[in-house]
Amino acid sequence: MTAQPPDPDAQFAAAPERPQILAPPPQRSRGMAMLIEHPTLWIGLALLVLVTLMAILAPLIAPHDPAALNPAFRVKPPSAEAWFGTDMLGRDIFSRTVYGARVSLIVGAGVAVCASIFGLAIGVLSGFLRWADNIVMRVMDGLMSIPAILLAIALMTLMRGGSVFNVILAITIAEIPRVARLTRSVVLSVREQPYVEAGTACGTSTLGIIWRHIMPNTLAPLTVQATYICASAMITEAILSFIGAGMPSSVPSWGNIMAEGRALWQVKPSIVFFPAIFLSVTVLAVNLLGDGLRDAVDPRLAKQV
Amino acid sequence: MALLEVRDLQIHFRTATGVNRAVDGLSFDIEAGEALAVVGESGCGKSVTSMSILGLLPTPPGKIAGQIRFRGQNLLNASESRMRKLRGAEIGMIFQEPMTSLNPVFTIGQQIGESVRLHEKASRAEARDRAIEMLRLVGIPSPERRVDEYPHQLSGGMRQRAMIAIALACNPALLVADEPTTALDVTIQAQILDLMQDLRSKVGSAVMLITHDLGVVAEFAERVLVMYAGRKVEEATVRDLFRTPRHPYTQGLLKAVPRLGSSLGAETSVRLAEIPGRVPDLSKPLRGCAFADRCPRAQEVCHRIDPALETKAAGHLAACHFAPREVSAA
Amino acid sequence: MTDAPHLIEVRNLVKRFPIGGGLFSRSHKVVHAVSDVSFHIARGETLSLVGESGCGKSTVGKCLARLIPLTEGEITLDGQRIDGLSRSQMKPVRKRLNVVFQDPFSSLNPRMTVEDLVAEPLRSHGMARTRAERHARVGDLLEKVGLAREAMARMPHQFSGGQRQRICIARALASEPDIIICDEAVSALDVSVQAQIINLLMDLQKDLGLALLFISHDLAVVEHMSDRIAVMYLGRIMEIADRESLFRHPRHPYTRALLSAVPLPDPEADRDRAVLTGDVPSPIDPPSGCFFRTRCPMATDRCAAEVPALRDMGAGHMSACHYAEDV
């Protein structure tokens, strides 16, 4: 029998146990956490990817040439031969709808990019130069007082003749004020930040301040805004086409398809119905993406709304 | 039985990366009429403790365990309506930023009167008289006029006085003051401290003063509790703590504060004693003593065994394996 | 008097802010933030500006760094006037004069890496042309302020308040300035960290021969740091003197009151405190004569009638009180 060696720690009194009263949060990978916290982001993105793939692969997906006339096969209801039926000239609505995604996406993305670039430039300018601010913002206010759709119609009339470029240009001009206002408000708040003052004290030039300190802070809200603009541009484009002020009728855009089916919609609602569904789903996808982005970028904003 | 007894208080918050143990096993008493100061640096859990006493901590995301007994009754089980009755009537509160805790759309008089009417069932006229009387008591000039003014019409010092008037309107048994003078200038701070001291002797409230300013502690409190990383590391009377601090953290803090008059007469400027390193991350598990990483006296055992709070001298507690112990206390 | 000009010379600095005044209301109210302030800072010297909030001490700092325009007055750096310089003309001046701000959380752009932040002045002043050169310089600077070289790859939010203030100091040092303006640079820090930063500033000053304009409301810190101290009240300098003289023999009733109001971390200190009554008057409508007279225990009719000038009480101890001899 050997005596227990004396415990060297015996002289040190230990504090009582501090129990765990909250279970630690589950360990998730970053991607998983994003998915769980912002489902709208992922649903929107997934839908948008599907529509984009459809637009890119249109020649492979569409069973028929979207412009091919087939007078013998006019105004048919959906069938195995023509999934969404045919229109008054016998063109396959499914094929036209698939190709129509191209127009919508190009216009949506084009307007979002152009309006962001010009709006950012104008917003930064008026946020930074006091004298420019009054003039620029009054012009923007004037533009904003006209509903975007009316402004776009007026611009389209002025430009005589629809083309993708003209449509993008018209809608972009109508959307710029929203971006400019947003950018200006961000610039005005960021330029009051102490780190901007600190940058000035370091000898950084005004351009350097704008480029390094102010622009990066506008990117997050601008991206969110761009998605909303993209969605609203798609709708505006469809409306323009629908009333005949947008794309030339030869181009299969969702607005054009609906316009052509307008006369028959009580007899053959399917002509209007299918492109309308695609337009709605695409716009929904872009809006979901925007909401998700907003929540992910600025959690405070999400709680207020 | 002490007026307020806190036992094994734990306040934990769930964060994205783990559980933040903001307060971890805190026990202390406040006797009736006593002035207790709770000191520590930001993030040590002192403000969270005061919020939990007032029942103002949202749970979730927080979770509170342990007991907070006020006159023997556990406040952690009390209903919200009971807490509302206690706050203002029996437990008064003063916060750091008077502007955010005063309601901007009511006059000062209405806000003082509200608590009087709520808790003492006084009439409107009585409440107004009481409000004027309280404003005069806290040293606001021409209280008959000020009683009808709105918070934004008062200066910072005046607002803090108005806050004190509201807090003391119902003669609370306990006043919880969370950094009451931190946002104020020194000359105004001196006025407010004198005022609180004066009112304490008149009204007889116990005060729990939360502060990071050791100067304020020395001026105001009778007993001090030093917190570090959510734990109590030392507790003593003010005189004992400042004369013979026993925990290395307290010693470091006292040496790190620049004192008025201490660097005069020296040819070259004196270096301040600094505490190296930084406060531990409370959302990571902590082994042993929370201060061990920064402690000049730390030994191997300190990183292993969490030191118990021990009586090192009469009425002097410290949580350190190597704090000197007075013979009589052992 | 020496012929060489002081590093910084401020003469009769005035700063007024107009307030209100929108499109339809032309308000003529003016905040008198700084009135007729003059002082100088020698090479390698620490001058502190102390006073309570609203006394104009930070405004003086900002005018000096030309972060806001001044209303009247002259500022010279090494004999060269800098008060009228344009933004581009200020560039060489900014190389020699930098600022450390109070809040280490908001004065660092959260979207930039520490390397980019510290390299910003190097870039602006064309001091390190290549990437590698900048990288090496930033590493040296970080080590100088007690941070690891590796810190440069990280973002500001990954640091604690004290470490962020070290980054701010590294950044202010990058252009090898002659003077740094510390605007409440240690006020937002916890006691134990504050001591680290104060020691760091004092070490750097000794090693690099820096001058500091140290703006603070904390008298104990000021006493610890400064060579000379200017006490401000409501936009005017009340008293200016070297450290020993000011703290041992204050010659202005306001300085006295300020000193006696500081709570001492010693419960056994005897307290005979001259508590000031009332509040600071509004800088929109300051009192006539001496600005301090409304709270001054010594005020007489003369104080309401006459603005007291800063008078030399001997050995450079200046006081703006009619009764400075009796204080």
Side-chain angles (χ1 to χ4, degrees), chain C residues 2 4-9 40-47 76-80 96-97 176-180 205-206 208-213 227-228:
Chain C
T2 50
H6 291 297
L7 180 65
I8 291 279
E9 184 94 50
H40 64 83
I41 304 172
R43 250 166 219 293
E45 179 188 48
T46 304
L47 175 74
T76 59
L77 175 72
D78 256 345
Q80 181 213 356
R96 304 183 53 192
L97 179 156
E176 295 163 12
D178 296 321
I179 177 166
I180 293 183
Q205 176 174 35
K206 215 179 299 163
L208 307 173
L210 273 175
L212 292 181
L213 176 64
D227 298 311
R228 282 189 310 127

Side-chain angles (χ1 to χ4, degrees), chain B residues 185-192, chain C residues 52 254 257-258 261 275-276 295:
Chain B
D185 283 317
V186 268
T187 59
I188 310 293
Q189 166 172 292
Q191 293 173 5
I192 298 290
Chain C
E52 299 175 281
Y254 178 61
L258 213 50
V275 173
L276 285 180
R295 298 171 81 193

